[in-house]
Amino acid sequence: MRRLLAILAFVAAISPAFALTPDEQLKDPALEARARVISAQLRCLVCQNQSIDDSEAPLAKDLRTLVREQLTAGKSDAQVLDYVVARYGQFVLLKPRFEPETLILWGTPFAVLLVAGAAMILRRRRAHVAPETPLSEDEKRALERTLQSP
């Protein structure tokens, strides 16, 4: 059983490597490493939950090729990312930049936490029970009659 789990873990770990075909790889190992780092930051526009480095979609292959072309043209990593974002928009980034256009995206989790915290505080305040008041003489007599009756 352990051996089967180890094999499955190994296959799962190397499966993203199958997306990149040998004809896409650059001859320069330093440029290829930079391309892989950039590709890991870009979203596949077809799959939407994978990086272009992990995706086998034709559009992902086109984006990987585009990244490698930009790098061989002498562009920096930031310039390549800016170029791709300019063409495809912020959505292409797996981790969007903190800019005015993405303020709602970054601020929503904090706003939800604030609203939930405020709701919990308000609910706790409403849940307080009024202090006990002693029974009146009439209530005491009614209680005694009720307890004594069979």
Side-chain angles (χ1 to χ4, degrees):
M1 183 68 176
R2 282 183 146 177
R3 182 172 288 173
L4 177 64
L5 289 175
I7 291 171
L8 288 175
F10 176 73
V11 169
I14 66 165
S15 64
F18 295 137
L20 186 68
T21 58
D23 64 317
E24 293 179 63
Q25 294 184 354
L26 297 171
K27 304 249 187 277
D28 183 3
L31 276 181
E32 180 60 31
R34 284 176 56 202
R36 295 297 291 263
V37 168
I38 293 170
S39 295
Q41 298 174 40
L42 298 174
R43 177 189 319 273
C44 174
L45 299 172
V46 175
C47 307
Q48 296 186 5
N49 63 346
Q50 288 182 321
S51 71
I52 63 170
D53 204 30
D54 298 337
S55 175
E56 295 181 15
L59 181 59
K61 180 178 179 169
D62 294 343
L63 283 170
R64 288 192 300 264
T65 304
L66 178 73
V67 166
R68 283 164 175 75
E69 287 172 357
Q70 293 292 310
L71 287 174
T72 42
K75 304 277 176 90
S76 70
D77 294 4
Q79 288 173 325
V80 173
L81 282 172
D82 290 342
Y83 178 77
V84 174
V85 169
R87 285 186 78 177
Y88 296 98
Q90 287 278 339
F91 183 73
V92 77
L93 296 174
L94 281 172
K95 183 180 176 192
R97 298 172 179 159
F98 188 75
E99 294 179 351
E101 297 88 28
T102 59
L103 189 60
I104 291 176
L105 176 69
W106 287 100
T108 300
F110 299 108
V112 168
L113 284 174
L114 285 174
V115 169
M120 287 175 56
I121 290 170
L122 291 174
R123 188 173 185 186
R124 180 172 282 180
R125 285 185 183 167
R126 289 184 191 163
H128 286 308
V129 178
E132 290 185 23
T133 56
L135 295 175
S136 68
E137 291 302 320
D138 291 336
E139 292 171 330
K140 286 180 185 176
R141 282 191 293 272
L143 179 62
E144 282 181 31
R145 277 188 302 228
T146 306
L147 292 174
Q148 290 176 358
S149 64

